[in-house]
């Protein structure tokens, strides 16, 4: 059911022969699914050379022809959706229905970029003197090196691959070694759609060794990373040394503000479903819940009921609504968050501990009465934990919501138009969902501020991220 993993360099699939590697583990069972080869230094050099050669071929092709190939890749991914979603659930753990949506959304993202690549417009600026034509052009930056984490094996790589290819760049992607199959299947779709050799290369290895080899190469002109803040800061530093463009999609700690004029039960149903998606291992997952006093008990009761009704199990089993955590590191992290919260007076309204005796399962958890300086309120939990606390006034909740050094996503619920506008303006965050959780679509920019990173993926911003602006003054 899983897949035969390999590297993809210069249009060739390279298996494990003579290479180091590691096993990929099914988080629902703790057992090995398959063997992943690591790229050697010579493989990485081959990928760099291939990407440079591929860039020249791809850049020379018209945006129209590139678009046709990208559209074909999207169609292939849709045709293969059931299989790719199965591979993803096996390696990452998320419920199959979520995997399927992820794969289909990934195909939509390719389509969006396929179209948008044909609209990489420049402009003509009126000159100060007669006969002078001032032309502003958008050109692809060149070879891109991209690094993606384990929580969205297809969706995160596709944002980088489709953005780079639509702009006319080539790319070397190092996807997650823990969940490599989704990106492997995705790359296959692009290869089968006719992307020329060298334009798209897939490597795996020891993450620090691969990034420290690729980023300083003079052939690489742009870095894109999704992952944790400490690693993002390190890679941004490496990029800065070579004055290279970088997009950094890092962690957050998303506040949810529920005002008393919102329907507390409707808000609880909406945001609880969003909270436990992928067992909370989502960078825009809601992670700190502030509920205005008058609605607090109703909201907590409904949210807790939702958490208790979640069916925890193997993501491939029918009826499962939440799968295991992706790796044992997350289990240890959850226990540490919960113990710290309890030590500080927090009460466990639902869950709070591991589940079962195989795999990496942790119960959907609700914590109340926890102070603002508890670990779960200040560090990104990246798991199925929902701390819920009351607040009194608008100004107080804005101050508490903005108190952390992160700014990726935020959510608010209110029935007042004036409050909706005011909270949207007041929250320091790259994305704000007001009475909505739809903040991640192919057509809209996705990215954070403060320590959550810089740059956006998606929308027109996701294309310009891979382009240089050139000005030509023609007399
Ligand atoms: P980690 O910091 O070890 O790794 C995060 C990701 O970066 C992984 O995919 C890893 O392979 C990669 N990575 C690590 N060192 C690297 C390097 N030197 N060069 C290139 N890539 C490197 O943490 P983890 O245990 O995998 O995850 C823990 C935390 O990471 C989570 O709590 C969460 O805050 C964050 N995270 C964020 C996202 C996101 O979508 N923004 C995704 C996954 C993890």
């Amino acid at each position: 059911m899983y897949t035969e993993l390999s590297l993809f360099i210069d249009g060739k699939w390279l298996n494990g022969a003579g290479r180091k590697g590691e096993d990929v583990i099914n988080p629902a069972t703790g057992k090995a699914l398959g063997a992943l080869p690591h790229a050697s230094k010579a493989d990485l050099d081959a990928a760099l050379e291939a990407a440079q050669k591929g860039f020249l071929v791809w850049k020379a092709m018209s945006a129209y022809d590139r678009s046709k190939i990208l559209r074909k890749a999207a169609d292939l991914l849709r045709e293969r959706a059931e299989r790719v979603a199965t591979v993803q659930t096996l390696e990452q753990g998320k419920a199959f229905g979520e995997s399927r949506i992820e794969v289909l959304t990934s195909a939509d993202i390719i389509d969006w970029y396929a179209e948008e690549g044909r609209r990489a417009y420049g402009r003509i600026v009126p000159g100060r003197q007669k006969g002078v034509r001032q032309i502003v052009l958008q050109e692809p930056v060149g070879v891109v090196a991209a690094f993606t984490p384990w929580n969205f094996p297809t969706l995160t790589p596709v944002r980088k691959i489709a953005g780079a290819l639509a702009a006319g760049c080539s790319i070397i992607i190092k996807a997650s070694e823990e969940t490599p199959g989704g990106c492997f299947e995705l790359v296959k779709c692009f290869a089968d759609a006719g992307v020329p050799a060298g334009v798209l290369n897939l490597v795996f290895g020891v993450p620090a060794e691969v990034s420290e080899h690729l980023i300083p190469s003079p052939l690489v002109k742009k870095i894109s990373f999704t992952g944790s803040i400490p690693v993002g800061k390190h890679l941004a530093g490496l990029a800065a040394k070579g004055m290279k463009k970088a997009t950094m999609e890092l962690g957050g700690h998303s506040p949810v503000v529920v005002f008393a004029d919102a329907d507390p039960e409707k808000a609880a149903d909406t945001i609880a479903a969003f909270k436990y998606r992928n067992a909370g291992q989502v960078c825009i997952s809601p992670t700190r819940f502030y509920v205005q006093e008058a609605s607090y008990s109703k909201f907590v009761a409904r949210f807790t009921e939702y958490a208790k009704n979640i069916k925890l199990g193997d993501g491939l089993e029918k009826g499962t609504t939440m799968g295991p955590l992706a790796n044992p590191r997350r289990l240890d992290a959850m226990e540490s968050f919960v113990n710290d919260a309890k030590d500080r007076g927090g009460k466990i309204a639902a869950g709070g501990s591991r589940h079962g005796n195989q795999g990496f399962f942790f119960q959907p958890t609700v914590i109340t009465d926890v102070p603002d300086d508890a670990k779960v309120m200040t560090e990104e939990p990246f798991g199925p934990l929902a701390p819920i606390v009351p607040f009194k006034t608008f100004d107080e909740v804005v101050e508490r919501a903005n108190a952390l050094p992160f700014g990726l996503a935020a959510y608010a619920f209110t029935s007042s138009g004036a409050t909706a506008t005011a909270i949207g303006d007041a929250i320091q965050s790259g994305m704000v969902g007001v009475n909505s959780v739809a903040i991640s679509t192919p057509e809209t920019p996705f990215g954070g501020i403060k320590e959550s990173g810089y740059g956006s993926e998606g929308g027109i911003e996701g294309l310009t991220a891979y382009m240089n602006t050139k000005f030509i003054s023609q007399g």
Side-chain angles (χ1 to χ4, degrees):
M1 271 205 291
Y2 194 58
T3 196
E4 197 77 30
L5 297 160
S6 35
L7 311 170
F8 186 62
I9 297 173
D10 202 11
K12 292 179 209 72
W13 297 102
L14 306 172
N15 63 20
R19 292 181 173 86
K20 290 184 184 163
E22 64 189 280
D23 282 344
V24 179
I25 305 298
N26 180 344
T29 62
K31 299 204 174 88
L33 287 165
L36 176 74
H38 282 187
S40 64
K41 287 221 157 73
D43 289 328
L44 296 178
D45 285 336
L48 284 163
E49 249 180 66
Q52 179 58 24
K53 188 190 73 183
F55 171 55
L56 299 177
V57 173
W58 192 239
K59 185 187 174 200
M61 212 181 254
S62 71
Y64 174 70
D65 286 333
R66 291 197 297 250
S67 170
K68 281 198 289 192
I69 295 176
L70 294 189
R71 277 192 166 283
K72 183 143 189 230
D75 289 342
L76 288 174
L77 187 56
R78 273 190 203 99
E79 274 169 29
R80 300 174 189 178
E82 298 292 309
R83 173 173 164 63
V84 182
T86 304
V87 166
Q88 248 197 189
T89 289
L90 281 168
E91 66 185 9
Q92 202 273 339
K94 67 183 63 168
F96 180 77
E98 285 184 32
S99 264
R100 207 167 166 279
I101 291 170
E102 177 177 345
V103 173
L104 294 174
T105 307
S106 299
D108 285 354
I109 288 174
I110 304 174
D111 276 342
W112 160 260
Y113 278 113
E115 282 305 306
E116 208 52 23
R118 297 169 64 188
R119 301 192 189 100
Y121 304 136
R123 66 190 195 276
I124 306 280
V125 181
R128 291 189 167 202
Q129 280 154 13
K130 201 162 183 275
V132 171
R133 222 179 252 283
Q134 303 192 119
I135 305 160
V136 182
L137 292 179
Q138 296 293 325
E139 294 188 332
V141 292
V143 175
V144 176
F147 306 88
T148 54
W150 41 262
N151 53 340
F152 285 90
T154 310
L155 189 89
T156 309
V158 85
R159 283 195 168 126
K160 300 181 195 305
I161 294 172
L165 297 196
C169 296
S170 61
I171 182 166
I172 304 170
I173 184 153
K174 188 205 81 59
S176 166
E177 288 71 23
E178 293 176 307
T179 60
C183 188
F184 171 80
E185 295 290 338
L186 176 69
V187 168
K188 253 179 153 176
C189 293
F190 282 100
D192 293 347
V195 169
V199 174
L200 169 57
N201 304 275
L202 173 65
V203 298
F204 298 100
V206 176
E209 288 175 12
V210 178
S211 55
E212 277 156 33
H213 194 86
L214 294 181
I215 297 175
S217 164
L219 295 175
V220 170
K221 300 293 190 283
K222 154 100 195 183
I223 318 302
S224 185
F225 172 74
T226 300
S228 63
I229 293 172
V231 176
K233 286 181 177 173
H234 172 59
L235 299 194
L238 292 179
K241 276 202 183 119
M243 202 49 78
K244 297 175 188 198
K245 277 181 185 270
T247 296
M248 291 286 151
E249 299 282 4
L250 310 178
H253 202 326
S254 310
V256 178
V257 179
V258 182
F259 290 99
D261 59 9
D263 177 338
E265 294 183 333
K266 210 169 136 206
D269 286 345
T270 305
I271 205 71
F274 202 56
K275 164 73 241 180
Y276 296 110
R277 193 170 64 110
N278 200 11
Q281 302 164 113
V282 182
C283 54
I284 57 167
S285 182
T287 41
R288 301 176 276 152
F289 297 76
Y290 302 95
V291 183
Q292 207 158 14
E293 279 176 344
S295 295
Y296 184 72
S297 46
K298 261 194 181 162
F299 181 90
V300 170
R302 185 66 166 237
F303 195 105
T304 304
E305 188 189 328
Y306 189 101
K308 286 184 172 165
N309 282 331
I310 286 174
K311 187 166 180 296
L312 196 52
D314 186 322
L316 287 184
E317 264 166 35
K318 237 186 156 138
T320 293
T321 47
M322 193 178 106
L325 298 180
N327 55 57
R329 299 189 300 287
R330 300 303 330 131
L331 273 183
D332 295 341
M334 292 314 108
E335 290 196 325
S336 157
F337 281 116
V338 168
N339 290 338
D340 175 81
K342 281 192 200 157
D343 288 349
R344 291 161 185 271
K347 298 201 173 64
I348 307 301
S353 44
R354 295 179 180 208
H355 168 87
N357 54 9
Q358 66 159 15
F360 315 135
F361 292 92
F362 200 90
Q363 296 167 333
T365 298
V366 179
I367 311 173
T368 60
D369 298 280
V370 69
D372 278 5
D373 63 353
K375 197 167 142 175
V376 72
M377 294 295 280
T378 54
E379 289 176 30
E380 183 179 32
F382 225 69
L385 309 184
I388 311 178
V389 294
F391 75 91
K392 285 189 168 60
T393 68
F394 182 93
D395 289 347
E396 172 213 324
V397 79
V398 166
E399 195 183 326
R400 289 166 78 188
N402 287 341
L404 299 186
F406 321 113
L408 186 62
Y411 307 90
F413 293 88
T414 174
S415 60
S416 149
T419 307
T421 306
I423 193 75
D425 288 348
I427 295 265
Q428 297 165 357
S429 177
M431 296 167 281
V432 185
V434 183
N435 299 324
S436 164
V437 292
I439 59 166
S440 171
T441 78
E443 301 82 9
T444 50
F446 183 97
I449 58 168
K450 297 163 84 176
E451 292 202 5
S452 296
Y454 40 72
S456 295
E457 303 191 289
I460 51 176
E461 290 82 359
L463 186 73
T464 50
Y466 294 98
M467 308 203 88
N468 286 329
T469 299
K470 181 188 263 181
F471 170 58
I472 301 175
S473 178
Q474 196 173 302

